């Protein structure tokens, strides 16, 4: 397989994951806007600005590592990238469509592990490819902290669950 074909393959996989993620995201929904969020959360446009180059880097680094690996390691890299991108695509629908920050938090923890394993595997094939995946791992770690903060803010005293119970109780009176 030539590098161009490898890059086309990784770019196609990344594009599919990015599209699925975008379709699963709805930062303007009433549910999302009513969530309590930490003051350090970036505004919604920042996510597109950050994810666009990250996705390009994932495709490039993935192709670079796969192209330099041989045999079983090459197949393992394809699988690792596929699993990683499936986890990447699964987070937005869990959070935004299923309205389940807790499930999304558990899922993003798995994505973090996958990111580290993918970067390590890529680095074994090509050091630069592994290093290029670190910003993706860093951004996902930041997203994990943000997801965790939302779970904490909306589950504790004064959080969404308490407010929802308060509204239901007020309607019954």
């Amino acid at each position: 397989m030539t590098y161009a074909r490898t890059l086309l393959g990784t770019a196609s996989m990344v594009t599919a994951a990015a599209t699925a993620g975008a379709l699963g995201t709805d930062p303007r929904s009433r549910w999302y806007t009513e969530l309590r969020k930490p003051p350090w959360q970036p505004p919604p446009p920042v996510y597109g600005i950050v994810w666009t180059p990250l996705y390009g880097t994932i495709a490039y680094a993935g192709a670079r590592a796969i192209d330099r690996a041989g045999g079983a390691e090459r197949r393992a890299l394809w699988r690792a990238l596929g699993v990683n991108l499936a986890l990447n695509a699964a987070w937005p629908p869990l959070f935004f469509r299923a309205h389940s920050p807790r499930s999304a938090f558990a899922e993003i923890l798995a994505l973090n592990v996958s990111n580290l394993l993918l970067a390590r595997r890529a680095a074994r094939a090509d050091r630069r490819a592994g290093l290029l995946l670190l910003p993706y791992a860093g951004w996902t770690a930041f997203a994990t902290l943000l997801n965790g903060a939302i779970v904490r803010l909306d589950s504790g005293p004064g959080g969404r669950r308490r407010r929802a119970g308060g509204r239901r109780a007020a309607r019954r009176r």
Side-chain angles (χ1 to χ4, degrees), residues 1 5 13-14 37 45 61 64 90 108 118 133-134 138 146 151:
M1 185 177 269
R5 285 184 59 190
M13 291 169 67
V14 168
K37 299 169 205 73
R64 186 179 166 102
I108 203 168
L118 178 62
L133 290 170
L134 293 181
L146 181 57
V151 167

Side-chain angles (χ1 to χ4, degrees), residues 63-82:
R64 186 179 166 102
I66 289 167
D67 200 52
R68 285 163 175 78
E73 186 58 26
R74 182 183 184 95
R75 288 185 296 279
L77 270 164
W78 276 113
R79 279 191 304 276
L81 182 61

Side-chain angles (χ1 to χ4, degrees), residues 49-106:
I49 293 167
V50 172
W51 274 112
T52 301
L54 284 178
Y55 279 132
T57 303
I58 295 165
Y60 172 75
R64 186 179 166 102
I66 289 167
D67 200 52
R68 285 163 175 78
E73 186 58 26
R74 182 183 184 95
R75 288 185 296 279
L77 270 164
W78 276 113
R79 279 191 304 276
L81 182 61
V83 166
N84 183 272
L85 292 171
L87 287 167
N88 181 297
W91 184 89
L94 280 173
F95 189 91
F96 287 99
R97 301 295 179 194
H99 300 173
S100 183
R102 285 183 184 276
S103 296
F105 184 70

